[in-house]
Each structure stands twice: as structure tokens, then as C-alpha cells.
Amino acid sequence: MSEQNKIPQATAKRLPLYYRFINNLHIQGKLRVSSKELSEAVKVDSATIRRDFSYFGALGKKGYGYNVEYLLEFFRKTLDQDEKTPVALIGVGNLGTAFLNYNFTKNNNTKIEMAFDADPNKVGTEIGGVPIYHIDELEQKLSEVQAAILTVPLAEAQNITERLIKSGVTGILNFTPARITVPEGVRVHHIDLSVELQSLVYFMKHYPLDTDEEA
Amino acid sequence: MSEQNKIPQATAKRLPLYYRFINNLHIQGKLRVSSKELSEAVKVDSATIRRDFSYFGALGKKGYGYNVEYLLEFFRKTLDQDEKTPVALIGVGNLGTAFLNYNFTKNNNTKIEMAFDADPNKVGTEIGGVPIYHIDELEQKLSEVQAAILTVPLAEAQNITERLIKSGVTGILNFTPARITVPEGVRVHHIDLSVELQSLVYFMKHYPLDTDEEA
């Protein structure tokens, strides 16, 4: 896709979700899918799905639905599924360990290649097949890595972020409560567990009959 | 706030974030804050902050900024900070353990009161002060609980969801890759670690100069 044809960010955020379910349908041998079926599977309303898909041209046919193989090929290209992005994980606590044990490689173009921690008991071991290096080795090991998952203690977040960026990292998935500061050209997605929980409670109280998640 | 004055969901999602930082400013003894300062702290552009705040009436004054105490009081009420919402956590694996160790109670109206797991080695113990019960005791213990954090294996997600809903849970923070099905009136927020990582990579590649996160 050219830079001129930027799709809305809300749409872009749903692409990995669509891709995974379409891939599952493909594995099950399904040849076509309606926006209604897709809607029930991914829990996004079908009007939104049709609008999202429309940004990529007319992918569906009325009364037929969408061709699964076509969609799959389309999303594979759009999401660069043939190009693996090496990822590093920084901070092998409980949350970091959960990530390492999580099967990211299934139907996926991202792979955690290495992890870092300061704990000498963890350094030199492997979790989920991923080697754990000492945090002091960060600059030395990171040369190929573009994206990092940040699961370090709050007080370390900004310092580690700066070291990651100096080493060439251009994307950070930040799971610390810190709102880290980065230069232009570095992308940060922030997932704050406490904010997510408060947000859920707010919606439970204020939108009790609106069951749709903000997908 | 009345049901008539619903604010946009994107705004609602940012409220817990604003609340936390305004509370921090208050603790530091600050009396006022500009939208620019707030923007730098929470990493949301100041136009968005001003628009968000405008839904609650004219909270700021030109050339002065916002009164910290007023904002704090306002957000405390809006987010029902005086009303604790009891939360249960289901599935004490690495991710569940990370949640239990996470300090949710700080400046917060949510508290994990109990956790459930099937592992007899975990049942009867405590993590972060939270007692762990056997999953068979779910229906018996849940009477007061409205919200649940779901960190169980994929294959258990739908079954446990149904048991939670029968026990009166109306909000679920779903960390499993499953897209769970719930009846009307039950709110689900879904955080899929794999989708988050893919989404980050997509934005790194397609929006390389847009550093703002979709807050």
C-alpha cells in the first residue's frame, strides 16, 4: 500500500485480528465467508467490517461474501506476513515470562528472538526457546532488532527506552505504567493494565447495555 | 453523569489515564496545569485533551490552564473513585501472577479480591495479598464480584465466561486469544497480546513518522 492510501488507524488495528480468523477459516477448508459470520467470530459489527474492507477495494460480492483465499492472500501481503520482524523482550518478570511462553509464532510475522534481564539466575537460561541475556549486553545483541516489548519496573522504563532507541529500535510495546518519551520516528503502543481495568469498570457502569467492545 | 450525556468511548478510555496523572500532580502539590503540560505527561496531543475536557463543561481558563484540585475532584466523581469495584482473577499462570503482583490499589477504585486456579499447589496460597481458591469454588465465592480478569488457557475461556456470567459478573477483561461470546448487558474488553504486537509492527512499517500512539 502506498503512503497516499493510508487507512484509518482504527481499521489498521483490526487487521491482525481479521487475518488470524481468516487464516483459521482457511485451515478449516472454508472457501468463502460472509461479513456476518466474520462479525460473529471476531466480535466486530458487520457494518464496521464492510467499511474496513472497503478501504482495500471491493473485496466481497453481494450474496456471496468474501473469498477466503483472496482475503488471506490480501491480508498476508498487507501485514507483511512474509517478512519476519525480530522482537526483543526487556524484563523477564511474570509478565515477561507470560510473553515468552505465549505462542507468538503461530500465523504470525513477529518473533521474540531474545530477552534481557538483570537477574543472574535468569541470564543464560531459556524460556519458550528464547535465550535470556544480561541487560548489560543490550547494545551488543540488539543490532537486528526493530521492536521491543518493555516489561521492566517503572523506574527503569525511560532509561531502557533510551538505550533501545540508540540501538536502532523503532517500535516499543510498553507494558509499564510509565508514559515514556521517545523521539520522532519511534512508535510506542502503551498497554497499562491498571488503566484497562479502570476503563472496563467505567464502561460497565456508564454503558451497561452496550456490550460491544471498542475493537 | 446522566445517560443522556454520554461521552465518546475514545474519551472515556482516556479518563483513567488523566485521573492518574492529575492525582500525581496533586500529590506533588501542583495547583494548576496547562493542557500542554498534561499532554507531555500523558502523551495525548493537547487538542485531544481540550476536546475531551470540553465534554465535561468548561473546566479550564485561557492563560491559566486547569485547576488541579477541581479536575481531581471531577475525575474522582466521574470514575466513581469512592466506590470500590471488587474484581476476581481467573487463571493464576504467569500473566495472572503479574496482575496479582501489580499494584492496582494505588489511586484506584478497583481491587482484585480473589483469584481462582485449578492447580492444587496454588489453591490455598496468596499472591500479592490475594487468596487463591479452586476453580470449582467459583460460583460459591463470586457473589459480590462484578468484574473478572480472564487469564485462563484458550480452551477454557468460553466455559469459564459462562460460569462467570451466571454468577453475576457483568464485565470481563479478556486476556485470552479467544473471542468470547456474551449476552447483552455484559461488557468485554479484549487485550490480545499477539494482536497488539502485530499492530505495533504494522504501524512501525506503515506510519513510520507518526509517533503518536492511538491513546
Side-chain angles (χ1 to χ4, degrees):
Chain A
M1 198 179 328
S2 72
E3 279 300 304
Q4 282 73 38
N5 293 327
K6 276 191 178 179
I7 59 170
Q9 301 201 2
T11 297
K13 280 210 161 190
R14 285 186 284 265
L15 297 184
L17 195 61
Y18 294 145
Y19 176 69
R20 182 199 295 165
F21 280 88
I22 290 160
N23 199 29
N24 285 348
L25 292 176
H26 183 69
I27 289 165
Q28 291 160 26
K30 285 205 71 166
L31 299 177
R32 62 191 200 179
V33 61
S34 67
S35 53
K36 187 161 173 287
E37 287 171 287
L38 204 56
S39 169
E40 279 162 15
V42 300
K43 311 291 180 205
V44 173
D45 66 89
S46 48
T48 301
I49 290 180
R50 283 193 298 271
R51 198 179 57 237
D52 283 350
F53 283 18
S54 74
Y55 293 111
F56 309 108
L59 298 176
K61 278 181 203 155
K62 209 158 186 177
Y64 174 86
Y66 298 93
N67 179 300
V68 167
E69 204 161 339
Y70 182 87
L71 278 184
L72 184 66
E73 189 51 32
F74 177 79
F75 282 112
R76 182 183 285 142
K77 274 189 202 144
T78 304
L79 290 169
D80 298 304
Q81 289 297 304
D82 302 324
E83 191 190 324
K84 280 252 179 299
T85 298
V87 178
L89 179 132
I90 326 294
V92 190
N94 284 305
L95 188 57
T97 302
F99 266 112
L100 295 179
N101 283 321
Y102 196 98
N103 187 356
F104 276 114
T105 51
K106 200 183 159 200
N107 314 334
N108 212 317
N109 60 339
T110 48
K111 187 176 186 313
I112 302 178
E113 303 267 6
M114 56 187 80
F116 295 88
D117 202 279
D119 181 348
N121 294 317
K122 290 173 185 166
V123 172
T125 67
E126 282 192 0
I127 296 177
V130 179
I132 302 170
Y133 301 115
H134 196 279
I135 190 71
D136 289 348
E137 296 179 85
L138 196 70
E139 286 77 3
Q140 187 185 327
K141 297 281 185 192
L142 273 189
S143 62
E144 299 290 306
V145 168
Q146 297 159 279
I149 300 171
L150 201 61
T151 47
V152 297
L154 174 60
E156 303 291 334
Q158 185 61 40
N159 172 39
I160 297 286
T161 295
E162 285 162 21
R163 290 176 62 191
L164 288 169
I165 292 167
K166 273 186 197 149
S167 304
V169 165
T170 57
I172 296 173
L173 195 55
N174 175 22
F175 277 87
T176 79
R179 303 299 284 188
I180 53 179
T181 300
V182 298
E184 198 178 350
V186 176
R187 180 97 202 167
V188 177
H189 285 200
H190 187 214
I191 300 170
D192 184 313
L193 302 182
S194 170
V195 166
E196 295 293 340
L197 191 55
Q198 284 206 58
S199 166
L200 173 72
V201 168
Y202 179 85
F203 280 102
M204 284 165 60
K205 290 185 176 173
H206 293 264
Y207 301 79
L209 285 175
D210 177 5
T211 58
D212 277 347
E213 88 177 280
E214 176 140 323
Chain B
M1 198 180 326
S2 72
E3 279 300 304
Q4 282 74 39
N5 292 326
K6 276 191 178 180
I7 59 169
Q9 301 201 4
T11 297
K13 282 210 160 190
R14 286 185 284 266
L15 296 185
L17 195 61
Y18 294 145
Y19 176 69
R20 182 197 297 163
F21 279 88
I22 290 159
N23 199 29
N24 285 349
L25 291 177
H26 182 70
I27 291 166
Q28 290 160 26
K30 283 205 72 166
L31 298 178
R32 63 191 200 179
V33 61
S34 66
S35 53
K36 187 163 173 287
E37 285 171 290
L38 205 54
S39 169
E40 279 162 16
V42 299
K43 311 292 179 203
V44 173
D45 67 89
S46 48
T48 301
I49 290 180
R50 284 192 298 270
R51 199 178 57 237
D52 283 350
F53 282 19
S54 73
Y55 293 110
F56 309 108
L59 298 176
K61 278 181 201 153
K62 209 157 184 176
Y64 174 86
Y66 298 93
N67 179 300
V68 168
E69 206 161 338
Y70 181 86
L71 277 184
L72 185 66
E73 190 51 32
F74 176 80
F75 282 112
R76 181 184 283 142
K77 275 189 202 143
T78 304
L79 290 169
D80 297 304
Q81 289 298 302
D82 301 325
E83 191 190 325
K84 279 253 180 296
T85 298
V87 178
L89 179 132
I90 327 294
V92 190
N94 284 304
L95 188 56
T97 302
F99 266 111
L100 296 180
N101 283 321
Y102 195 98
N103 186 357
F104 276 114
T105 51
K106 200 183 159 199
N107 313 333
N108 212 317
N109 60 339
T110 48
K111 187 175 185 314
I112 302 178
E113 303 267 6
M114 55 187 80
F116 296 88
D117 202 279
D119 182 348
N121 293 317
K122 290 173 185 166
V123 171
T125 67
E126 282 192 0
I127 296 178
V130 179
I132 301 170
Y133 301 116
H134 196 279
I135 190 72
D136 289 349
E137 296 180 85
L138 195 70
E139 285 78 3
Q140 188 186 326
K141 297 282 186 191
L142 274 189
S143 62
E144 299 290 307
V145 167
Q146 297 159 280
I149 301 171
L150 200 60
T151 46
V152 298
L154 173 60
E156 303 290 335
Q158 185 62 39
N159 171 38
I160 297 286
T161 295
E162 285 161 21
R163 290 176 63 190
L164 289 169
I165 292 167
K166 272 186 197 148
S167 303
V169 165
T170 57
I172 296 173
L173 194 55
N174 176 20
F175 278 88
T176 80
R179 305 298 284 190
I180 54 179
T181 299
V182 299
E184 197 177 351
V186 176
R187 180 97 202 167
V188 177
H189 285 200
H190 187 215
I191 299 170
D192 183 314
L193 302 182
S194 170
V195 166
E196 295 293 341
L197 191 55
Q198 283 205 60
S199 166
L200 173 72
V201 168
Y202 178 85
F203 281 103
M204 283 164 62
K205 289 185 177 172
H206 292 265
Y207 301 80
L209 285 177
D210 177 5
T211 58
D212 277 347
E213 90 178 275
E214 175 140 323

